[in-house]
Amino acid sequence: MTAQDPQIARAGRSLGEPIVLIEGVEKTFGDNHVLKNVSLTVRQGEVVVICGRSGSGKSTLLRCIDHLETIDGGTIRAAGHLMGMREKNGKRVPLKDSEVAKQQRDLGMVFQSFNLFPHISVIDNITLGPVRIQKRPKSEARDEARALLARVGLPDKENAYPRQLSGGQQQRVAIARALAMKPKVMLFDEPTSALDPEMISEVLDVMVDLSRQGMTMIVVTHEMGFARAAADRVILMHDGSIVEEADPETFFTAPKSEHTRLFLSKILHH
């Protein structure tokens, strides 16, 4: 199945306990109020797609979940962690960078730009985190990397360097690299926006496959075919707030918010 098929990937998936809890989150950059009282709960095994115009706050929200950005108010709990904080005597104390890095291991992040290390091979890109950070045996990490490369459709690319790969292949390696750390939640920040059109579906197909296997995913994207095929919920952000939150069928056919109707008319007009 391609991500464009309306055939539903969700059938038969059961969702678990809440694994990401975002409550009243605020974020400002200077005078720019980027996130305004944002609250969202994501359950284990759920796929949530966040869409919205450029500048609506969606990528910032994703970066805040992974504590790549600090929040100015509210709380984010992800994979059992109070992100960036610990509670001590009823107060919240910021964590050291090394402690934050430990929290981040449970969250996989895939960016627009693939962020692969250009000077090392594909398999070394994938095994670097498991070996260096998780101290796993190199042979075990390499076996697992090979299995992940097969899973993303690149079994013959382990010795290639990033520059020898197409954009779509690099992004699939980036997904394999994130999965190698065995994250509990995968975050995708517009993973196809830097790709040529013919490469988009190869990345989305991998993501649809992940969703079918029960991976918890929060995906910022403009790919509405993917949202229809794989999402349990679609969210629209506008001006720093969540203005719509619904299952795909409702989101695309009977949205409540005028902002959603306008967004869909612009993005689906072709």
Side-chain angles (χ1 to χ4, degrees), residues 38-157:
V38 173
S39 296
L40 175 67
T41 299
V42 179
R43 292 166 64 190
Q44 223 161 352
E46 189 173 18
V47 177
V48 174
V49 166
I50 304 175
C51 51
R53 285 168 35 197
S54 186
S56 59
K58 54 194 191 302
S59 288
T60 301
L61 179 61
L62 211 61
R63 291 174 66 81
C64 287
I65 295 170
D66 199 22
H67 204 69
L68 295 171
E69 299 285 356
T70 54
I71 57 177
D72 298 318
T75 57
I76 296 177
R77 292 178 190 275
H81 307 292
L82 178 61
M83 294 305 292
M85 297 277 175
R86 64 191 164 92
E87 286 170 326
K88 189 178 175 184
N89 306 331
K91 289 197 175 120
R92 288 189 176 165
V93 186
L95 292 177
K96 295 193 201 100
D97 288 351
S98 59
E99 296 169 311
V100 170
K102 279 188 184 142
Q103 292 185 334
Q104 289 168 328
R105 288 179 202 176
D106 287 331
L107 305 173
M109 183 86 159
V110 177
F111 301 90
Q112 290 177 27
S113 51
F114 325 118
N115 291 8
L116 299 174
F117 293 111
H119 59 287
I120 59 175
S121 67
V122 162
I123 197 160
D124 288 339
N125 264 282
I126 296 171
T127 57
L128 194 64
V131 171
R132 273 212 191 152
I133 297 169
Q134 295 178 332
K135 306 287 187 250
R136 282 167 36 207
K138 195 165 186 180
S139 59
E140 176 195 303
R142 287 177 85 82
D143 288 348
E144 204 154 283
R146 289 187 183 107
L148 286 167
L149 281 170
R151 191 169 164 187
V152 299
L154 296 169
D156 54 342
K157 297 295 184 191

Side-chain angles (χ1 to χ4, degrees), residues 1-9 192 200-209 212 223-231:
M1 135 176 192
T2 71
Q4 266 47 43
D5 291 346
Q7 175 194 345
I8 303 303
T192 57
I200 288 173
S201 66
E202 66 190 49
V203 172
L204 293 179
D205 287 347
V206 168
M207 292 167 63
V208 168
D209 195 43
R212 285 169 151 179
E223 296 296 332
M224 297 298 105
F226 173 79
R228 280 196 153 136

Side-chain angles (χ1 to χ4, degrees), residues 22-27 35-39 71 73-76:
I22 300 166
E23 295 173 312
V25 163
E26 302 280 342
K27 177 66 184 170
L35 297 176
K36 303 169 183 171
N37 194 27
V38 173
S39 296
I71 57 177
T75 57
I76 296 177

